[in-house]
Amino acid sequence: MSDTTVSAPVTASGAEPAPEPASSSRAQQRKARKNASKDPKRKITWDRVWAQRALLAMAVPLLLYQILFKYVPVYGWAIAFQRYKPGRGSIWNQQWVGLENFHNLFTGVNGERFRQVVVNTMGQSVLTLIVGTFGAIVLALLLNEVKNLPFKRIMQNITYMPHFLSWVIVASLASVALSLPSSGGFINQGLISLHLVDEPVLFLTQPNYFWEIVAGTNLWKELGWNTILYLAAITAIDPGLYEAAEVDGAGRYRKMFSITLPSIRPTIVVLLIINSGWILSTNFELPYFLGNGLVSEKSETIDVFVLRYGYQLGNYSLAVVAGIFKTIVAVILVGSANLAAKRLNQETLV
Amino acid sequence: MSGTTVAKPLPRRASRGGSRRRKRTVEQIIFTTLNTTFLLALAALMIYPLLNTLAISLNDGNDAVRGGIGIWPRVFSLQNYHVVFNMTTIYQAFVMSVLKTVVVVATNLFFTSMLAYALSRKEFIFRRSITLIFVLTMYFDAGLIPNYLLIRDLGMLNSFQAYWVPTIISAFNLIVLRTYMKSIPDEIIESARTDGAGEFRMWWQIVMPLCKPALAVVGLFVAVASWNSWLDTLLYNSGDQALSTLQYELQKLLASSMNAGMNSVAATGSAQSGGQVTTPIALRSTITMVAAVPILLVYPFLQKHFVSGLVIGSVKG
């Protein structure tokens, strides 16, 4: 860490030339856009609309389609204010109860359970994000040091592969890997043969391991895939920087910590910020598949709560309240994360 | 392997003192060896669970219950695959998964590329507002139950339409395609226009053939997402066994083994089909392989494209 702060001036002078044109061209674009809107030729007139009828015919039906399937469902939020009974059919035949469901979920009978659900969601997401980011950066740095290109490509292909497996398959593989040695649990087998434990651990029955299991399984699935953007950022680094450092006698580690890491720091920060916007929206499948009665106090996340407690047990109204809570928080988080990333990105570029 | 990797960077530094260079060389050999070992171990960790599952699926079912199978079957047998493909539910689910994926990829590529073409034209008046409405759907989701209610109210529950109609456009893929189309030189479009081509002709005959790499990426993303999805089956189509998919069948199997008590995977018991018998652990491994293999077969052919697709999408999105 201390290395990165020391080397800051090196990157400031070195990394700038590449990003700078991008930012200035962006500013130019913005200016051009402003002028364009004043330009009478760009004004929307019926003539222009008619001239573009073919483009409109391509776009407008699909726009309406998207509005129908992505925005219209919001009418379902009405049942958050009702005592919804599926048997009564349409949502217009239901009994309206005001904010009863909100009280029920946040402060009432289900308050304690729902607070734990929110804590679980955030805990699993934060752990997954930290472990995943750290792992991806380390792997990207190590892959970058491989000079034998075929070997590097094979390694990349192997580590990307789990990303394409479905969560059902990954959960199935994880449940086998974490089981008893007699059921194929190679993790227990490894721990025993390394004498780290005497007895096999029943990982999936112990609440306190659950967050780590989720983070670890996510790491296994997405590790290689998450290196892609970091590797792309590393290839964009000016090779002259490395040559200059070599002339100054910098070794491999020095170059890694003083050039590579500081140069990809904007990428790291932006990805961290953007991903933290999804803190309530990730981790649905694994807790749903691997969670069970014994660990539910640590496994249940908002989406699992909505599906299991709401949809499958028929508590639609409560589930919609939880869903609204999640959506609103997610939109606020993602929105501010994107704004922050944009602002930060510009500052690092200027 | 380590020998060749070390040799390359050295000659450039020939002006340095000899003893120092030797030190650097030793250090480099150590680093390269450690790095290579670490990466190989990591690759083994990524591949082992799949190889293990493959070995169990190719092993005799009753023998597999004894456990201890590594990456090679102990008693080789194709019995499990016979059993699985003779189970009507699994066979039907496999066909449904293939059909669903094909329809979803075809409709997605058609509609997404058409919209992307319109939004890539600089002169198109509403392109900014339309793009914004689509991009916002990446962040805004009405929620699982409201979506379910819409599908129900549209009368699409327990129908094949529920698989492909709600998802013909994804905002992320739209941005990837639009960005790619924007990079096509204007001269090509303009010369086609002066030759009298209309917008639909231009999209279909001029732009589409130039977009093959981007279409391959988007097609892969869509195919993988469709093949891997299970929630749409659970929510919309679980009432009709004929519409079940492979992932959903595997999920039911996983859920029953989780419910039956932890680690009951190896519990004795048997799954029957047409007089042939296998055990739960062998059955689950076999269905896992059947669900995973199509992805793993397509993957090597398209993997060189998807990296560029991801980078395009994230840079310009």
Side-chain angles (χ1 to χ4, degrees), chain A residues 2 66 90 93 105 121 142 199-200 218 226 235 240 278 288:
Chain A
S2 60
Q66 189 81 348
S90 156
N93 293 331
L105 188 70
T121 313
L142 293 182
E199 297 270 295
N218 264 294
N226 287 341
T235 40
W278 297 109
Y288 182 72

Coordinates of all heavy atoms in Angstrom, one line a residue, chain A residues 2 66 90 93 105 121 142 199-200 218 226 235 240 278 288:
Chain A
S2 N 1.9 1.2 0.9 CA 2.7 2.4 0.9 C 3.4 2.7 -0.4 O 3.6 3.8 -0.8 CB 3.8 2.3 2.0 OG 4.6 1.1 1.7
Q66 N -41.2 -2.6 -24.4 CA -40.3 -2.5 -23.2 C -41.1 -1.9 -22.0 O -41.0 -2.3 -20.9 CB -39.1 -1.7 -23.5 CG -38.0 -1.8 -22.4 CD -37.2 -3.0 -22.4 OE1 -37.5 -4.0 -23.1 NE2 -36.1 -3.0 -21.7
S90 N -58.5 -10.7 -9.6 CA -57.9 -9.4 -10.0 C -57.6 -8.5 -8.8 O -58.2 -8.6 -7.7 CB -58.9 -8.6 -10.9 OG -58.6 -7.2 -10.8
N93 N -60.3 -6.4 -6.9 CA -61.3 -6.9 -6.0 C -60.8 -7.2 -4.6 O -61.4 -7.9 -3.8 CB -61.7 -8.3 -6.5 CG -62.5 -8.2 -7.8 OD1 -63.1 -7.2 -8.0 ND2 -62.4 -9.2 -8.6
L105 N -44.1 -5.4 8.2 CA -42.8 -5.9 7.7 C -41.7 -5.2 8.5 O -40.7 -5.8 8.8 CB -42.7 -5.7 6.2 CG -41.4 -6.4 5.6 CD1 -41.6 -7.9 5.7 CD2 -41.2 -5.9 4.2
T121 N -28.5 -10.1 3.4 CA -28.3 -9.7 2.0 C -27.1 -8.8 1.9 O -26.2 -9.1 1.0 CB -29.5 -8.8 1.5 OG1 -30.7 -9.5 1.9 CG2 -29.5 -8.7 0.0
L142 N -1.2 -11.7 -11.6 CA -0.4 -12.9 -11.9 C -0.5 -13.3 -13.3 O 0.5 -13.7 -13.9 CB -0.9 -14.0 -11.0 CG -0.6 -13.8 -9.5 CD1 -1.1 -15.0 -8.7 CD2 0.8 -13.5 -9.2
E199 N -12.4 -34.1 12.5 CA -13.7 -34.6 12.0 C -14.1 -33.8 10.8 O -13.9 -32.6 10.8 CB -14.7 -34.5 13.1 CG -14.4 -35.2 14.4 CD -15.0 -36.6 14.3 OE1 -16.3 -36.6 14.3 OE2 -14.3 -37.6 14.3
P200 N -14.8 -34.5 9.9 CA -15.4 -33.7 8.7 C -16.4 -32.6 9.2 O -17.1 -32.9 10.2 CB -16.1 -34.7 7.9 CG -16.1 -36.0 8.6 CD -15.0 -35.9 9.7
N218 N -19.2 -17.8 -5.1 CA -19.2 -16.7 -6.0 C -17.8 -16.5 -6.6 O -17.6 -16.3 -7.8 CB -19.6 -15.4 -5.4 CG -21.1 -15.2 -5.6 OD1 -21.5 -15.0 -6.7 ND2 -21.9 -15.3 -4.6
N226 N -14.2 -11.9 -13.8 CA -13.9 -10.6 -13.2 C -12.6 -10.0 -13.6 O -12.3 -8.8 -13.4 CB -14.1 -10.6 -11.7 CG -15.6 -10.7 -11.3 OD1 -16.5 -10.4 -12.2 ND2 -15.9 -11.1 -10.1
T235 N -3.5 -3.8 -20.1 CA -3.0 -3.8 -21.5 C -3.0 -2.3 -22.0 O -2.2 -2.0 -22.9 CB -3.7 -4.6 -22.5 OG1 -5.1 -4.5 -22.2 CG2 -3.3 -6.1 -22.4
G240 N 6.1 2.3 -22.2 CA 7.2 3.2 -21.9 C 7.4 3.3 -20.4 O 8.6 3.4 -19.9
W278 N -25.3 -2.6 -6.3 CA -26.2 -3.8 -6.4 C -26.2 -4.6 -5.1 O -26.6 -5.7 -5.1 CB -25.6 -4.7 -7.5 CG -25.6 -4.1 -8.8 CD1 -24.6 -3.6 -9.6 CD2 -26.8 -3.7 -9.6 NE1 -25.0 -3.1 -10.7 CE2 -26.3 -3.1 -10.8 CE3 -28.2 -3.9 -9.4 CZ2 -27.2 -2.7 -11.8 CZ3 -29.0 -3.4 -10.4 CH2 -28.5 -2.8 -11.6
Y288 N -30.9 -19.4 -2.0 CA -32.1 -20.1 -2.3 C -31.8 -21.6 -2.4 O -32.6 -22.4 -1.8 CB -32.8 -19.6 -3.5 CG -34.2 -20.3 -3.8 CD1 -35.3 -20.0 -3.0 CD2 -34.3 -21.2 -4.8 CE1 -36.5 -20.6 -3.2 CE2 -35.5 -21.8 -5.1 CZ -36.6 -21.5 -4.3 OH -37.8 -22.2 -4.5

